[in-house]
Amino acid sequence: IYGKLIPVISWVAAGTWTSIDAVPVGTQFDEWLPPNPKCGKNGYGLIVRGESMSPKFEPNDRIYVNPDFQVSDLKTGDLVIVSCEGEKEATFKKLVMETDGMYLEPLNPKWLEKIMELHEGCKLVGKVVGLYREV
């Protein structure tokens, strides 16, 4: 099971799918990533957009996402995909857990929007478990 290729999906889909089982049968994927056991059986890939996670993650990098994790298993510093109500697309940020709640933080020190509070309309949809970069 761990030798299978990982489909690359869109950011819109990442925000709406709960797991890869929800992918309509016959969905055509334009791109596949090499296998990554950390993805779990429902894992998928996303293409990094924008500079908010630079320099560690650059635009056009591919990231591996595991949607099958418990929120209780997450810790500060984990990289997560989050979907918030009213927003069309999911977002990729670093998780910060404090006693008063959970926050999202970009890795790019030059990014203007520093801390984003995770409000009730937001849900964690996946944990980023790997990076695939072509050089």
Side-chain angles (χ1 to χ4, degrees):
I1 181 160
Y2 288 119
K4 71 180 179 58
L5 294 174
I6 308 295
V8 174
I9 67 171
S10 75
W11 284 93
V12 174
T16 51
W17 289 352
T18 45
S19 80
I20 212 82
D21 297 335
V23 180
V25 174
T27 299
Q28 294 294 312
F29 296 104
D30 295 335
E31 186 182 348
W32 297 83
L33 296 177
N36 182 336
K38 290 184 186 164
C39 268
K41 65 184 195 328
N42 297 317
Y44 53 83
L46 289 167
I47 300 172
V48 175
R49 293 208 309 239
E51 305 276 345
S52 73
M53 298 297 274
S54 298
K56 194 170 181 182
F57 299 92
E58 299 288 348
N60 275 339
D61 282 348
R62 275 50 176 168
I63 48 177
Y64 288 98
V65 180
N66 183 338
D68 304 316
F69 67 94
Q70 301 304 313
V71 173
S72 55
D73 292 339
L74 290 174
K75 58 191 186 306
T76 289
D78 282 344
L79 301 170
V80 293
I81 306 297
V82 173
S83 168
C84 293
E85 270 171 23
E87 290 177 29
K88 283 214 325 260
E89 304 187 340
T91 185
F92 169 37
K93 296 283 180 288
K94 182 178 94 173
L95 184 68
V96 179
M97 296 177 113
E98 299 284 347
T99 45
D100 61 344
M102 293 197 283
Y103 302 88
L104 298 174
E105 190 178 31
L107 292 180
N108 185 344
K110 297 188 186 91
W111 201 249
L112 289 174
E113 216 183 321
K114 276 292 177 242
I115 297 276
M116 204 174 113
E117 200 169 343
L118 265 181
H119 52 83
E120 281 185 5
C122 296
K123 63 179 195 290
L124 294 156
V125 293
K127 179 177 173 179
V128 176
V129 294
L131 167 66
Y132 180 78
R133 176 180 289 166
E134 287 186 353
V135 290

